[in-house]
Amino acid sequence: MNFSSWPSLLVVDVEGNGTNPPDLVEVAALPVREGQPDTSTAGAWLTKPRHPVTPFAARVHGLTNERLEREPSWEEIADQVHMLLGVSWICAHNAHVEYRVLSAHLPQWRPAGVLDTLRLAKVTYPDLPKYSLDALIERVQPDLSAAPAQRHRATFDAYATAQLLIAMAAHYDTWDQLVAAAVPPGLPGAPKPEEEPTLW
């Protein structure tokens, strides 16, 4: 895979407050450049949700209402997040979730395309019993020594997802092949089905 052929791409991860639909409590956006995660230009934000964090969500990511009390509201950071995301491609694990939540919080934003490492893993490793982020980390054994924070925090999960994407991309020769394997139907960037030939 020639990584220099890739368009601008950020691996994103979000954490929510546990409600449905969720309020965001953390967003991470990690650029991938030349086949490496670029932590020097990454963005990470904590935000105080409109509605309290549920006990279950706090147990998962460790972000309690007390921890978030003095963080900015979403309205205070939305423009910064939108500016970093721009019109780049994004990648996430089970990307429908990140795309849906970010789109709800950034109505004017639309990425160039959406790669899903969950979908990509099912094509790349068709015989795995599970395709969770933890299962893929165990299978691929990426180097996470430089990952910030810990599992279930947005910065860690974005870094882990970036390393998984880079590892799986090595199984494909071109960006177009990667897109065909990794973009879910109906999301931005999905290859358009070939039109049936007509007589006219």
Side-chain angles (χ1 to χ4, degrees), residues 5-184:
S5 68
W6 285 26
S8 175
L9 181 142
L10 298 106
V11 178
V12 300
D13 191 82
V14 302
E15 301 297 335
N17 67 333
T19 62
N20 189 18
D23 291 341
L24 288 172
V25 298
E26 188 176 28
V27 180
L30 175 63
V32 173
R33 295 192 170 94
E34 298 296 331
Q36 294 294 326
D38 182 5
T39 54
S40 68
T41 58
W45 298 266
L46 291 172
T47 177
K48 180 182 176 181
R50 284 199 185 97
H51 302 96
V53 178
T54 65
F56 175 79
R59 282 195 300 274
V60 171
H61 50 54
L63 294 169
T64 63
N65 293 300
E66 292 75 20
R67 172 66 182 82
L68 298 167
E69 181 60 36
R70 290 185 171 80
E71 297 298 338
S73 68
W74 175 252
E75 288 72 23
E76 292 175 86
I77 64 169
D79 286 348
Q80 298 172 43
V81 178
H82 194 175
M83 188 176 300
L84 182 59
L85 294 177
V87 294
S88 298
W89 281 73
I90 65 164
C91 173
H93 195 67
N94 198 10
H96 283 282
V97 174
E98 267 71 15
Y99 176 67
R100 183 175 67 243
V101 174
L102 284 169
S103 294
H105 283 75
L106 297 170
Q108 307 305 317
W109 167 72
R110 183 174 172 85
V114 180
L115 299 180
D116 182 3
T117 48
L118 175 61
R119 181 180 177 85
L120 180 61
K122 289 180 177 179
V123 177
T124 310
Y125 310 119
D127 53 354
L128 290 186
K130 292 194 298 186
Y131 292 92
S132 67
L133 199 59
D134 288 322
L136 290 174
I137 290 170
E138 187 175 333
R139 166 66 172 81
V140 177
Q141 297 286 309
D143 180 3
L144 300 180
S145 58
Q150 68 277 342
R151 180 74 175 93
H152 297 299
R153 288 290 301 274
T155 49
F156 183 100
D157 290 359
Y159 189 93
T161 301
Q163 295 288 46
L164 292 171
L165 170 66
I166 293 161
M168 289 189 285
H171 293 256
Y172 300 86
D173 293 328
T174 66
W175 169 258
D176 288 344
Q177 289 176 0
L178 186 69
V179 165
V183 180

